[in-house]
Amino acid sequence: MTMKVKTAAVHAGDRVEPSRAVPLQASIHTASVAYFDDAGALDASLDGADYVYTRIRGQNAQLLEEAVAALEGTEDCAAFPSGQAALKALLEAQKLQEGERVVIANDGYGASFALVKSFCAERKAAFHPLSMTDPGTPAMIQRLAPRLVLAESVTNPLLSVPDLDVIAAACREAGALFTVDATFPSPALHRAAEHGADVVLQSTTKWLNGHSDAMGGTLSGSRERIAPLKAARILHGAILGPFEAWLTLRGVRTLPVRMAAHSQHAARIADRLKAAPRVERVIYPGLPEHPQHAVARRMLPSGFGGMLAFEVKGAGRAECFRFLEKVKLCKPAPSLGDVCTLVMHAASASARRMTPEERAAAGIRENLIRVSVGLEDPDDVAEDLLQAIAAAA
Ligand SMILES: *Cc1c(COP(=O)(O)O)cnc(C)c1O
């Protein structure tokens, strides 16, 4: 059939022929809709039997979900357009009732903290921020009998490392859904499901993507727990787009080797910062003086990760802001998990959405700088940090 130009513009070259050749890596499936030559197949595809409409089922998101489930060691995984969207989907699925309780790590990521707090306020549920490293917390969880407990494997930004096995046991006793945000170590260094997490949250925006070029979030767990989240996602529409899923899966291919290098570099930089006179305290789970170092050895057996933090003696916000302007190699960017080293003033960035009282309760002080260690030579990074600390003083 010869097509007139307007018809050709729309239809020429639109039929992807099925092929038996298996591509070594997936392509980006941008088509948001497909059709079938038989109506029965179309009918079945609308229930998810095939890829007919990306909100129902998308190739790239599904491939990423398979990969993340395999990394986490869980049966299933659901991908979302951001870590926050994943957390919101999980909260929605709980159908919280008035008077029910939610427990959250008091020193975790500020935006998760603020989201859970406002969600509880809307539902008239009780919001209980607790320190997950306080020895009294497991008993408190049993007493409160919350619907949901949200912990972080390594907290943002203070890098405390709770004993997840102990908290998981308390959650089981209390009948609480135990959700663990394992973004900081990533599944390459730590599988939260093996320590009793019912659901594992990742902001794939960070280490899984690894190159700061796509946002995303995942929830991993048993098929029974993840299937309803996927069903709700078809209606709620919070899907991960094909470009983002593809970029993230590309990042996943090198995740374990990157995390090994990030861990090695961070350990070296932590040692060098410790020797600096202006540095009051270096926080890194791999340091023997870290308050949960023994727990960290169990939770993070193959590397302590790429995140570290340090406090500058006597510094206030102004001096920390000067520090951010003085780094040359490192970038003052409010994220983590990149190949490039990123530095951030915790109180004004990751903990921005907490009140000053909440920050004080968590121990997040104005002189705290968080570092996401990149893949540059660690001595170059250490020298850049040290010169910026000196220049800002
Ligand atoms: C960034 C982050 C999130 C939120 O993820 P987004 O992809 O930015 O929505 C959640 N938890 C932790 C620990 C994070 O660092």
Side-chain angles (χ1 to χ4, degrees):
M1 183 176 83
T2 58
M3 292 186 269
K4 296 191 177 65
V5 69
K6 286 181 182 171
T7 304
V10 174
H11 286 295
D14 69 354
R15 179 137 186 145
V16 182
E17 291 300 335
S19 162
R20 291 181 51 217
V22 182
L24 199 56
Q25 295 291 340
S27 307
I28 307 175
H29 290 263
T30 54
S32 54
V33 65
Y35 63 89
F36 295 85
D37 295 325
D38 78 275
L42 168 64
D43 193 46
S45 74
L46 290 166
D47 286 328
D50 209 331
Y51 305 99
V52 70
Y53 191 64
T54 304
R55 176 159 52 72
I56 299 172
R57 189 175 166 191
Q59 285 95 327
N60 294 105
Q62 187 176 324
L63 291 168
L64 177 66
E65 288 167 348
E66 283 173 21
V68 174
L71 286 169
E72 298 280 13
T74 56
E75 285 175 354
D76 205 357
C77 168
F80 296 87
S82 69
Q84 289 300 105
L87 179 56
K88 180 74 193 305
L90 184 76
L91 292 171
E92 290 283 355
Q94 303 316 307
K95 310 215 181 333
L96 271 184
Q97 302 292 315
E98 186 172 341
E100 290 187 315
R101 290 173 282 274
V102 174
V103 167
I104 186 168
N106 71 342
D107 63 341
Y109 178 53
S112 309
F113 188 92
L115 171 60
V116 175
K117 187 178 168 187
S118 72
F119 192 86
C120 287
E122 265 170 41
R123 304 290 160 107
K124 297 189 170 61
F127 175 73
H128 292 276
L130 297 178
S131 160
M132 295 290 164
T133 52
D134 184 324
T137 291
M140 184 62 128
I141 288 171
Q142 291 192 29
R143 197 142 12 104
L144 290 169
R147 280 287 306 284
L148 177 74
V149 172
L150 177 63
E152 289 180 19
S153 300
V154 178
T155 65
N156 179 359
L158 282 169
L159 309 168
S160 62
V161 185
D163 189 335
L164 297 184
D165 296 307
V166 171
I167 299 166
C171 290
R172 268 195 303 277
E173 289 278 316
L177 182 80
F178 186 33
T179 302
V180 175
D181 180 338
T183 298
F184 265 36
S186 93
L189 300 180
H190 165 84
R191 286 172 145 185
E194 289 179 357
H195 296 284
D198 297 314
V199 177
V200 186
L201 173 85
Q202 294 286 344
S203 165
T204 64
T205 311
K206 316 293 172 50
W207 300 110
L208 278 88
N209 168 276
H211 301 75
S212 303
D213 54 14
M215 299 207 63
T218 53
L219 296 172
S220 303
S222 67
R223 215 166 277 124
E224 185 193 346
R225 286 214 170 79
I226 301 303
L229 299 168
K230 286 185 169 172
R233 188 179 59 184
I234 294 174
L235 300 181
H236 295 173
I239 59 128
L240 184 65
F243 289 96
E244 283 77 8
W246 186 88
L247 282 163
T248 305
L249 186 54
R250 182 164 182 159
V252 163
R253 300 299 180 219
T254 56
L255 179 71
V257 288
R258 279 188 285 114
M259 293 317 293
H262 287 298
S263 298
Q264 221 177 20
H265 292 199
R268 169 79 184 150
I269 293 163
D271 277 339
R272 292 212 46 193
L273 286 172
K274 255 169 60 175
R278 289 282 301 145
V279 173
E280 185 175 333
R281 180 164 73 118
V282 179
I283 309 171
Y284 185 62
L287 291 175
E289 64 267 34
H290 185 281
Q292 294 93 36
H293 179 64
V295 176
R297 293 181 78 92
R298 239 185 325 114
M299 294 293 139
L300 307 162
S302 51
F304 296 100
M307 299 305 297
L308 64 86
F310 63 91
E311 292 178 324
V312 184
K313 249 177 222 157
R317 189 169 288 207
E319 184 174 336
C320 290
F321 278 22
R322 280 200 301 280
F323 165 85
L324 297 181
E325 291 171 354
K326 295 292 183 190
V327 286
K328 293 179 179 137
L329 182 64
C330 306
K331 299 290 179 272
S335 188
L336 60 113
D338 200 282
V339 294
C340 169
T341 298
L342 309 178
V343 292
M344 190 203 70
H345 178 240
S348 64
S350 68
R352 188 183 191 89
R353 318 229 175 266
M354 297 168 89
T355 64
E357 296 74 31
E358 287 164 347
R359 281 197 293 272
I364 300 165
R365 295 165 61 195
E366 280 294 327
N367 64 348
L368 183 72
I369 299 284
R370 189 189 79 183
V371 185
S372 168
V373 174
L375 296 179
E376 307 94 335
D377 185 284
D379 285 311
D380 285 348
V381 174
E383 262 142 50
D384 188 36
L385 295 171
L386 293 170
Q387 70 74 26
I389 293 167

